mmCIF file of all heavy atoms in Angstrom:
data_model
loop_
_atom_site.group_PDB
_atom_site.id
_atom_site.type_symbol
_atom_site.label_atom_id
_atom_site.label_comp_id
_atom_site.label_asym_id
_atom_site.label_seq_id
_atom_site.Cartn_x
_atom_site.Cartn_y
_atom_site.Cartn_z
ATOM 1 N N LYS X 10 -64.750 24.027 4.811
ATOM 2 C CA LYS X 10 -65.687 22.907 4.913
ATOM 3 C C LYS X 10 -64.964 21.609 5.300
ATOM 4 O O LYS X 10 -65.478 20.822 6.079
ATOM 5 C CB LYS X 10 -66.460 22.739 3.607
ATOM 6 C CG LYS X 10 -67.537 23.793 3.424
ATOM 7 C CD LYS X 10 -68.485 23.409 2.329
ATOM 8 C CE LYS X 10 -69.683 24.288 2.164
ATOM 9 N NZ LYS X 10 -69.653 25.627 2.657
ATOM 10 N N ILE X 11 -63.772 21.400 4.752
ATOM 11 C CA ILE X 11 -62.983 20.223 5.134
ATOM 12 C C ILE X 11 -62.654 20.296 6.620
ATOM 13 O O ILE X 11 -62.782 19.313 7.352
ATOM 14 C CB ILE X 11 -61.707 20.109 4.271
ATOM 15 C CG1 ILE X 11 -62.092 19.770 2.826
ATOM 16 C CG2 ILE X 11 -60.765 19.055 4.844
ATOM 17 C CD1 ILE X 11 -60.951 19.845 1.846
ATOM 18 N N GLN X 12 -62.248 21.475 7.069
ATOM 19 C CA GLN X 12 -61.959 21.661 8.493
ATOM 20 C C GLN X 12 -63.193 21.353 9.342
ATOM 21 O O GLN X 12 -63.098 20.689 10.370
ATOM 22 C CB GLN X 12 -61.489 23.104 8.730
ATOM 23 C CG GLN X 12 -61.151 23.400 10.169
ATOM 24 C CD GLN X 12 -60.663 24.825 10.357
ATOM 25 O OE1 GLN X 12 -60.264 25.507 9.423
ATOM 26 N NE2 GLN X 12 -60.719 25.289 11.579
ATOM 27 N N GLN X 13 -64.356 21.818 8.903
ATOM 28 C CA GLN X 13 -65.583 21.565 9.655
ATOM 29 C C GLN X 13 -65.900 20.071 9.718
ATOM 30 O O GLN X 13 -66.346 19.577 10.751
ATOM 31 C CB GLN X 13 -66.766 22.326 9.041
ATOM 32 C CG GLN X 13 -68.027 22.239 9.865
ATOM 33 C CD GLN X 13 -67.838 22.763 11.284
ATOM 34 O OE1 GLN X 13 -67.344 23.863 11.492
ATOM 35 N NE2 GLN X 13 -68.212 21.970 12.277
ATOM 36 N N SER X 14 -65.644 19.344 8.640
ATOM 37 C CA SER X 14 -65.917 17.906 8.662
ATOM 38 C C SER X 14 -65.002 17.197 9.655
ATOM 39 O O SER X 14 -65.433 16.296 10.380
ATOM 40 C CB SER X 14 -65.812 17.297 7.262
ATOM 41 O OG SER X 14 -64.497 17.360 6.790
ATOM 42 N N ILE X 15 -63.748 17.616 9.727
ATOM 43 C CA ILE X 15 -62.812 17.026 10.695
ATOM 44 C C ILE X 15 -63.237 17.384 12.117
ATOM 45 O O ILE X 15 -63.204 16.534 13.016
ATOM 46 C CB ILE X 15 -61.372 17.484 10.377
ATOM 47 C CG1 ILE X 15 -60.937 16.917 9.025
ATOM 48 C CG2 ILE X 15 -60.411 17.054 11.484
ATOM 49 C CD1 ILE X 15 -59.696 17.546 8.440
ATOM 50 N N ILE X 16 -63.657 18.629 12.320
ATOM 51 C CA ILE X 16 -64.138 19.053 13.646
ATOM 52 C C ILE X 16 -65.345 18.229 14.065
ATOM 53 O O ILE X 16 -65.460 17.837 15.238
ATOM 54 C CB ILE X 16 -64.438 20.566 13.649
ATOM 55 C CG1 ILE X 16 -63.125 21.347 13.594
ATOM 56 C CG2 ILE X 16 -65.261 20.959 14.884
ATOM 57 C CD1 ILE X 16 -63.289 22.833 13.335
ATOM 58 N N ASN X 17 -66.260 17.937 13.141
ATOM 59 C CA ASN X 17 -67.438 17.105 13.465
ATOM 60 C C ASN X 17 -67.007 15.740 13.989
ATOM 61 O O ASN X 17 -67.555 15.242 14.978
ATOM 62 C CB ASN X 17 -68.326 16.917 12.233
ATOM 63 C CG ASN X 17 -69.190 18.116 11.926
ATOM 64 O OD1 ASN X 17 -69.352 19.013 12.736
ATOM 65 N ND2 ASN X 17 -69.728 18.147 10.725
ATOM 66 N N ILE X 18 -66.033 15.132 13.339
ATOM 67 C CA ILE X 18 -65.573 13.806 13.754
ATOM 68 C C ILE X 18 -64.843 13.896 15.094
ATOM 69 O O ILE X 18 -65.041 13.061 15.981
ATOM 70 C CB ILE X 18 -64.707 13.177 12.652
ATOM 71 C CG1 ILE X 18 -65.587 12.923 11.414
ATOM 72 C CG2 ILE X 18 -64.059 11.878 13.133
ATOM 73 C CD1 ILE X 18 -64.836 12.653 10.159
ATOM 74 N N LEU X 19 -64.011 14.924 15.270
ATOM 75 C CA LEU X 19 -63.326 15.129 16.553
ATOM 76 C C LEU X 19 -64.331 15.359 17.680
ATOM 77 O O LEU X 19 -64.162 14.846 18.783
ATOM 78 C CB LEU X 19 -62.369 16.319 16.461
ATOM 79 C CG LEU X 19 -61.015 16.049 15.853
ATOM 80 C CD1 LEU X 19 -60.275 17.356 15.587
ATOM 81 C CD2 LEU X 19 -60.192 15.145 16.751
ATOM 82 N N HIS X 20 -65.354 16.131 17.399
ATOM 83 C CA HIS X 20 -66.386 16.411 18.403
ATOM 84 C C HIS X 20 -67.038 15.110 18.868
ATOM 85 O O HIS X 20 -67.248 14.906 20.071
ATOM 86 C CB HIS X 20 -67.422 17.378 17.830
ATOM 87 C CG HIS X 20 -68.528 17.704 18.780
ATOM 88 N ND1 HIS X 20 -68.352 18.514 19.873
ATOM 89 C CD2 HIS X 20 -69.818 17.302 18.803
ATOM 90 C CE1 HIS X 20 -69.499 18.604 20.536
ATOM 91 N NE2 HIS X 20 -70.399 17.882 19.901
ATOM 92 N N ASN X 21 -67.341 14.219 17.930
ATOM 93 C CA ASN X 21 -67.917 12.914 18.302
ATOM 94 C C ASN X 21 -66.938 12.111 19.153
ATOM 95 O O ASN X 21 -67.335 11.470 20.129
ATOM 96 C CB ASN X 21 -68.296 12.110 17.060
ATOM 97 C CG ASN X 21 -69.616 12.536 16.475
ATOM 98 O OD1 ASN X 21 -70.337 13.350 17.038
ATOM 99 N ND2 ASN X 21 -69.933 11.986 15.325
ATOM 100 N N ALA X 22 -65.662 12.123 18.777
ATOM 101 C CA ALA X 22 -64.655 11.383 19.545
ATOM 102 C C ALA X 22 -64.619 11.887 20.984
ATOM 103 O O ALA X 22 -64.585 11.094 21.932
ATOM 104 C CB ALA X 22 -63.282 11.514 18.891
ATOM 105 N N ILE X 23 -64.668 13.195 21.148
ATOM 106 C CA ILE X 23 -64.660 13.780 22.494
ATOM 107 C C ILE X 23 -65.938 13.407 23.247
ATOM 108 O O ILE X 23 -65.897 13.018 24.414
ATOM 109 C CB ILE X 23 -64.498 15.313 22.411
ATOM 110 C CG1 ILE X 23 -63.102 15.656 21.868
ATOM 111 C CG2 ILE X 23 -64.753 15.970 23.765
ATOM 112 C CD1 ILE X 23 -62.949 17.092 21.412
ATOM 113 N N LYS X 24 -67.068 13.507 22.555
ATOM 114 C CA LYS X 24 -68.362 13.276 23.194
ATOM 115 C C LYS X 24 -68.517 11.832 23.677
ATOM 116 O O LYS X 24 -69.123 11.592 24.718
ATOM 117 C CB LYS X 24 -69.465 13.634 22.193
ATOM 118 C CG LYS X 24 -70.859 13.572 22.763
ATOM 119 C CD LYS X 24 -71.903 14.306 21.931
ATOM 120 C CE LYS X 24 -71.978 13.947 20.489
ATOM 121 N NZ LYS X 24 -73.160 14.545 19.828
ATOM 122 N N TYR X 25 -67.956 10.871 22.943
ATOM 123 C CA TYR X 25 -68.184 9.460 23.270
ATOM 124 C C TYR X 25 -66.977 8.773 23.915
ATOM 125 O O TYR X 25 -66.927 7.556 23.995
ATOM 126 C CB TYR X 25 -68.643 8.697 22.022
ATOM 127 C CG TYR X 25 -69.986 9.185 21.548
ATOM 128 C CD1 TYR X 25 -70.128 9.861 20.341
ATOM 129 C CD2 TYR X 25 -71.123 9.004 22.326
ATOM 130 C CE1 TYR X 25 -71.358 10.331 19.916
ATOM 131 C CE2 TYR X 25 -72.360 9.468 21.913
ATOM 132 C CZ TYR X 25 -72.470 10.129 20.707
ATOM 133 O OH TYR X 25 -73.688 10.592 20.300
ATOM 134 N N THR X 26 -66.016 9.579 24.377
ATOM 135 C CA THR X 26 -64.868 9.027 25.091
ATOM 136 C C THR X 26 -64.970 9.469 26.550
ATOM 137 O O THR X 26 -65.224 10.635 26.821
ATOM 138 C CB THR X 26 -63.544 9.523 24.466
ATOM 139 O OG1 THR X 26 -63.498 9.061 23.108
ATOM 140 C CG2 THR X 26 -62.339 8.976 25.197
ATOM 141 N N GLN X 27 -64.764 8.527 27.457
ATOM 142 C CA GLN X 27 -64.871 8.848 28.870
ATOM 143 C C GLN X 27 -63.809 9.874 29.277
ATOM 144 O O GLN X 27 -62.847 10.099 28.576
ATOM 145 C CB GLN X 27 -64.780 7.668 29.787
ATOM 146 C CG GLN X 27 -64.496 6.270 29.529
ATOM 147 C CD GLN X 27 -64.328 5.642 28.210
ATOM 148 O OE1 GLN X 27 -64.694 6.129 27.157
ATOM 149 N NE2 GLN X 27 -63.736 4.486 28.245
ATOM 150 N N GLU X 28 -64.000 10.456 30.459
ATOM 151 C CA GLU X 28 -63.147 11.554 30.914
ATOM 152 C C GLU X 28 -61.662 11.200 30.925
ATOM 153 O O GLU X 28 -60.826 12.012 30.582
ATOM 154 C CB GLU X 28 -63.587 11.989 32.312
ATOM 155 C CG GLU X 28 -63.087 13.359 32.678
ATOM 156 C CD GLU X 28 -63.734 13.896 33.929
ATOM 157 O OE1 GLU X 28 -64.979 13.884 34.002
ATOM 158 O OE2 GLU X 28 -62.984 14.309 34.820
ATOM 159 N N GLU X 29 -61.320 9.995 31.316
ATOM 160 C CA GLU X 29 -59.909 9.590 31.362
ATOM 161 C C GLU X 29 -59.467 8.890 30.071
ATOM 162 O O GLU X 29 -58.388 8.315 30.024
ATOM 163 C CB GLU X 29 -59.658 8.661 32.564
ATOM 164 C CG GLU X 29 -59.952 9.307 33.906
ATOM 165 C CD GLU X 29 -59.069 10.525 34.186
ATOM 166 O OE1 GLU X 29 -57.869 10.470 33.895
ATOM 167 O OE2 GLU X 29 -59.617 11.530 34.682
ATOM 168 N N GLY X 30 -60.301 8.939 29.048
ATOM 169 C CA GLY X 30 -59.986 8.276 27.784
ATOM 170 C C GLY X 30 -58.952 9.041 26.984
ATOM 171 O O GLY X 30 -58.434 10.074 27.404
ATOM 172 N N ALA X 31 -58.650 8.524 25.800
ATOM 173 C CA ALA X 31 -57.646 9.143 24.934
ATOM 174 C C ALA X 31 -58.165 9.249 23.504
ATOM 175 O O ALA X 31 -58.898 8.379 23.031
ATOM 176 C CB ALA X 31 -56.365 8.318 24.960
ATOM 177 N N ILE X 32 -57.770 10.321 22.840
ATOM 178 C CA ILE X 32 -58.077 10.528 21.424
ATOM 179 C C ILE X 32 -56.753 10.817 20.734
ATOM 180 O O ILE X 32 -55.970 11.651 21.187
ATOM 181 C CB ILE X 32 -59.065 11.696 21.236
ATOM 182 C CG1 ILE X 32 -60.385 11.373 21.927
ATOM 183 C CG2 ILE X 32 -59.270 11.974 19.748
ATOM 184 C CD1 ILE X 32 -61.278 12.566 22.122
ATOM 185 N N LYS X 33 -56.503 10.079 19.668
ATOM 186 C CA LYS X 33 -55.248 10.239 18.931
ATOM 187 C C LYS X 33 -55.580 10.706 17.520
ATOM 188 O O LYS X 33 -56.466 10.151 16.868
ATOM 189 C CB LYS X 33 -54.502 8.899 18.902
ATOM 190 C CG LYS X 33 -53.145 8.966 18.235
ATOM 191 C CD LYS X 33 -52.305 7.735 18.525
ATOM 192 C CE LYS X 33 -52.684 6.601 17.621
ATOM 193 N NZ LYS X 33 -51.793 5.437 17.712
ATOM 194 N N VAL X 34 -54.885 11.741 17.064
ATOM 195 C CA VAL X 34 -55.067 12.257 15.711
ATOM 196 C C VAL X 34 -53.729 12.123 14.987
ATOM 197 O O VAL X 34 -52.698 12.557 15.500
ATOM 198 C CB VAL X 34 -55.514 13.736 15.733
ATOM 199 C CG1 VAL X 34 -55.674 14.260 14.310
ATOM 200 C CG2 VAL X 34 -56.814 13.896 16.517
ATOM 201 N N GLU X 35 -53.777 11.489 13.831
ATOM 202 C CA GLU X 35 -52.569 11.323 13.012
ATOM 203 C C GLU X 35 -52.802 11.946 11.647
ATOM 204 O O GLU X 35 -53.894 11.848 11.093
ATOM 205 C CB GLU X 35 -52.260 9.842 12.794
ATOM 206 C CG GLU X 35 -51.822 9.076 14.010
ATOM 207 C CD GLU X 35 -51.551 7.624 13.653
ATOM 208 O OE1 GLU X 35 -50.552 7.364 12.944
ATOM 209 O OE2 GLU X 35 -52.349 6.767 14.060
ATOM 210 N N LEU X 36 -51.777 12.550 11.120
ATOM 211 C CA LEU X 36 -51.796 13.085 9.762
ATOM 212 C C LEU X 36 -50.581 12.518 9.049
ATOM 213 O O LEU X 36 -49.456 12.622 9.537
ATOM 214 C CB LEU X 36 -51.744 14.616 9.791
ATOM 215 C CG LEU X 36 -51.681 15.325 8.440
ATOM 216 C CD1 LEU X 36 -52.937 15.054 7.634
ATOM 217 C CD2 LEU X 36 -51.503 16.815 8.653
ATOM 218 N N TYR X 37 -50.806 11.886 7.901
ATOM 219 C CA TYR X 37 -49.703 11.293 7.165
ATOM 220 C C TYR X 37 -50.059 11.218 5.688
ATOM 221 O O TYR X 37 -51.212 11.430 5.301
ATOM 222 C CB TYR X 37 -49.344 9.898 7.712
ATOM 223 C CG TYR X 37 -50.497 8.926 7.766
ATOM 224 C CD1 TYR X 37 -50.725 8.026 6.729
ATOM 225 C CD2 TYR X 37 -51.378 8.911 8.850
ATOM 226 C CE1 TYR X 37 -51.781 7.145 6.769
ATOM 227 C CE2 TYR X 37 -52.444 8.027 8.898
ATOM 228 C CZ TYR X 37 -52.642 7.143 7.859
ATOM 229 O OH TYR X 37 -53.711 6.274 7.904
ATOM 230 N N LYS X 38 -49.060 10.919 4.864
ATOM 231 C CA LYS X 38 -49.270 10.789 3.421
ATOM 232 C C LYS X 38 -49.425 9.313 3.089
ATOM 233 O O LYS X 38 -48.658 8.473 3.560
ATOM 234 C CB LYS X 38 -48.085 11.385 2.676
ATOM 235 C CG LYS X 38 -48.280 11.389 1.177
ATOM 236 C CD LYS X 38 -47.118 12.063 0.472
ATOM 237 C CE LYS X 38 -47.376 12.009 -1.027
ATOM 238 N NZ LYS X 38 -46.195 12.299 -1.809
ATOM 239 N N GLU X 39 -50.435 9.012 2.304
ATOM 240 C CA GLU X 39 -50.663 7.647 1.828
ATOM 241 C C GLU X 39 -50.854 7.717 0.318
ATOM 242 O O GLU X 39 -51.905 8.144 -0.162
ATOM 243 C CB GLU X 39 -51.900 7.062 2.519
ATOM 244 C CG GLU X 39 -52.095 5.584 2.257
ATOM 245 C CD GLU X 39 -53.196 5.004 3.126
ATOM 246 O OE1 GLU X 39 -53.028 4.959 4.356
ATOM 247 O OE2 GLU X 39 -54.227 4.611 2.548
ATOM 248 N N ASN X 40 -49.830 7.331 -0.423
ATOM 249 C CA ASN X 40 -49.805 7.470 -1.880
ATOM 250 C C ASN X 40 -50.039 8.939 -2.244
ATOM 251 O O ASN X 40 -49.292 9.782 -1.808
ATOM 252 C CB ASN X 40 -50.807 6.516 -2.544
ATOM 253 C CG ASN X 40 -50.479 5.058 -2.235
ATOM 254 O OD1 ASN X 40 -49.320 4.664 -2.255
ATOM 255 N ND2 ASN X 40 -51.495 4.276 -1.920
ATOM 256 N N ASP X 41 -51.080 9.236 -3.027
ATOM 257 C CA ASP X 41 -51.347 10.624 -3.430
ATOM 258 C C ASP X 41 -52.403 11.281 -2.546
ATOM 259 O O ASP X 41 -53.067 12.229 -2.969
ATOM 260 C CB ASP X 41 -51.799 10.660 -4.890
ATOM 261 C CG ASP X 41 -50.679 10.256 -5.838
ATOM 262 O OD1 ASP X 41 -49.500 10.462 -5.491
ATOM 263 O OD2 ASP X 41 -50.984 9.720 -6.922
ATOM 264 N N PHE X 42 -52.578 10.767 -1.339
ATOM 265 C CA PHE X 42 -53.601 11.282 -0.437
ATOM 266 C C PHE X 42 -52.997 11.769 0.877
ATOM 267 O O PHE X 42 -52.025 11.194 1.371
ATOM 268 C CB PHE X 42 -54.625 10.188 -0.104
ATOM 269 C CG PHE X 42 -55.478 9.794 -1.269
ATOM 270 C CD1 PHE X 42 -55.069 8.795 -2.137
ATOM 271 C CD2 PHE X 42 -56.689 10.421 -1.510
ATOM 272 C CE1 PHE X 42 -55.846 8.425 -3.222
ATOM 273 C CE2 PHE X 42 -57.470 10.057 -2.587
ATOM 274 C CZ PHE X 42 -57.057 9.062 -3.448
ATOM 275 N N ALA X 43 -53.594 12.815 1.418
ATOM 276 C CA ALA X 43 -53.332 13.195 2.797
ATOM 277 C C ALA X 43 -54.302 12.369 3.635
ATOM 278 O O ALA X 43 -55.502 12.332 3.352
ATOM 279 C CB ALA X 43 -53.597 14.679 3.005
ATOM 280 N N ALA X 44 -53.789 11.672 4.614
ATOM 281 C CA ALA X 44 -54.621 10.827 5.471
ATOM 282 C C ALA X 44 -54.724 11.460 6.850
ATOM 283 O O ALA X 44 -53.718 11.917 7.417
ATOM 284 C CB ALA X 44 -54.028 9.428 5.572
ATOM 285 N N ILE X 45 -55.933 11.504 7.363
ATOM 286 C CA ILE X 45 -56.190 11.999 8.709
ATOM 287 C C ILE X 45 -56.884 10.864 9.449
ATOM 288 O O ILE X 45 -57.951 10.403 9.025
ATOM 289 C CB ILE X 45 -57.089 13.250 8.699
ATOM 290 C CG1 ILE X 45 -56.441 14.347 7.858
ATOM 291 C CG2 ILE X 45 -57.375 13.732 10.116
ATOM 292 C CD1 ILE X 45 -57.403 15.157 7.065
ATOM 293 N N LYS X 46 -56.258 10.400 10.515
ATOM 294 C CA LYS X 46 -56.832 9.300 11.298
ATOM 295 C C LYS X 46 -57.182 9.841 12.681
ATOM 296 O O LYS X 46 -56.343 10.450 13.349
ATOM 297 C CB LYS X 46 -55.832 8.151 11.413
ATOM 298 C CG LYS X 46 -56.401 6.917 12.107
ATOM 299 C CD LYS X 46 -55.368 5.826 12.250
ATOM 300 C CE LYS X 46 -55.230 5.090 10.936
ATOM 301 N NZ LYS X 46 -54.469 3.834 11.070
ATOM 302 N N ILE X 47 -58.438 9.639 13.078
ATOM 303 C CA ILE X 47 -58.917 10.072 14.389
ATOM 304 C C ILE X 47 -59.367 8.825 15.130
ATOM 305 O O ILE X 47 -60.317 8.159 14.719
ATOM 306 C CB ILE X 47 -60.075 11.082 14.252
ATOM 307 C CG1 ILE X 47 -59.588 12.321 13.478
ATOM 308 C CG2 ILE X 47 -60.622 11.462 15.637
ATOM 309 C CD1 ILE X 47 -60.683 13.245 13.019
ATOM 310 N N GLU X 48 -58.648 8.519 16.204
ATOM 311 C CA GLU X 48 -58.871 7.270 16.933
ATOM 312 C C GLU X 48 -59.193 7.586 18.391
ATOM 313 O O GLU X 48 -58.511 8.399 19.018
ATOM 314 C CB GLU X 48 -57.586 6.439 16.848
ATOM 315 C CG GLU X 48 -57.638 5.109 17.524
ATOM 316 C CD GLU X 48 -56.324 4.343 17.359
ATOM 317 O OE1 GLU X 48 -55.441 4.798 16.604
ATOM 318 O OE2 GLU X 48 -56.198 3.295 17.999
ATOM 319 N N ASP X 49 -60.255 6.956 18.910
ATOM 320 C CA ASP X 49 -60.587 7.142 20.323
ATOM 321 C C ASP X 49 -60.709 5.782 20.996
ATOM 322 O O ASP X 49 -60.798 4.764 20.331
ATOM 323 C CB ASP X 49 -61.870 7.972 20.492
ATOM 324 C CG ASP X 49 -63.132 7.256 20.015
ATOM 325 O OD1 ASP X 49 -63.423 6.140 20.510
ATOM 326 O OD2 ASP X 49 -63.843 7.812 19.168
ATOM 327 N N ASN X 50 -60.701 5.789 22.316
ATOM 328 C CA ASN X 50 -60.918 4.547 23.056
ATOM 329 C C ASN X 50 -62.221 4.648 23.845
ATOM 330 O O ASN X 50 -62.322 4.207 24.977
ATOM 331 C CB ASN X 50 -59.716 4.190 23.943
ATOM 332 C CG ASN X 50 -59.459 5.207 25.042
ATOM 333 O OD1 ASN X 50 -60.097 6.250 25.104
ATOM 334 N ND2 ASN X 50 -58.514 4.910 25.901
#
């Protein structure tokens, strides 16, 4: 289910980014949390 939630957000990033756009995904530790950042232009 966690994977599906991340896929939903990635799908939106792909859908709303133009063909030559960029999507960046970062995974890092922030205190006691795993952080996943999905950034599009």
